[in-house]
Amino acid sequence: MTDYVMNALGVDQPRADQLRKQYWAQYGTTLAGLMREHDVDPAPYLVDVHDISLDHLETDHALASEIRALPGRRIVYTNGTAPYAERVLEARGLNGLFDAVYGVEHAGFLPKPEKAAFEAVFELDGVTTQTAAMFEDEQRNLMVPHEMGMKTVHVAPDPHEADHIHHHTDDLSAFLRKLS
C-alpha cells in the first residue's frame, strides 16, 4: 500500500506511510482517504494492493469444520475485494463454506466502519440484523452492526472491552465449537 501511495501521489516513503496510516485511522481504509483527498480511482489500487502471495497461509481444517456446522446463512464482508477474499478463503481451505462473499466494491467503495457501507451490503444480501452476528478483527467495525441489532464478536489476540462488543475470542475455532 505504501508503494502505491508513493507512486500515486508522488511522495517519498515516510510521507506515504504516514498518509496510509492517517487515512486508515480517519476514513476506515487507506483507499477511502485516497479517494476523498486525492480522487484516486479505486480499481487500480485494489488490483495492485491485493496482488500478493498467499503462500504463507495454511489450510485450517478445524475452522472449516466449525464454519460448516453453523446454522443459517454465512457471508463474508471485507474492506478488501471479493476476489481477494475468495483467494484467501481458498488458501485457508474455507472456500465453498459461505453463501456469499462481499467486498468494498459491493458497498460503492465505502469502507467499514461507515454505516452506509454496512447498509448497502446487508440490503444486497437481505441480512436481518436482529438475528445475525458479525465477526470482525477490527473493533471499530463492530460498532455499527451492534447499533443495527447484531450480536458482535471481536476476533483478536487482545481483548478490548467496549459496550458494542458482545463476545471476544482469540481462537475462532474454539469459540464456534462452543456454539454447537
Side-chain angles (χ1 to χ4, degrees), residues 129-135 142 145-146 148-154 164-167:
T129 57
Q130 292 72 24
T131 60
M134 179 81 175
F135 292 76
L142 290 169
H146 177 268
M148 296 173 82
M150 297 179 89
K151 294 294 183 195
T152 56
V153 182
H154 186 216
H164 65 278
I165 295 175
H166 294 105
H167 304 283

Side-chain angles (χ1 to χ4, degrees), residues 31 35-36 42 77 103-111 116-117 120-121:
L31 173 60
M35 290 173 61
R36 291 181 186 161
Y77 171 34
V104 68
E105 66 274 24
H106 294 100
F109 300 103
L110 293 174
V121 170

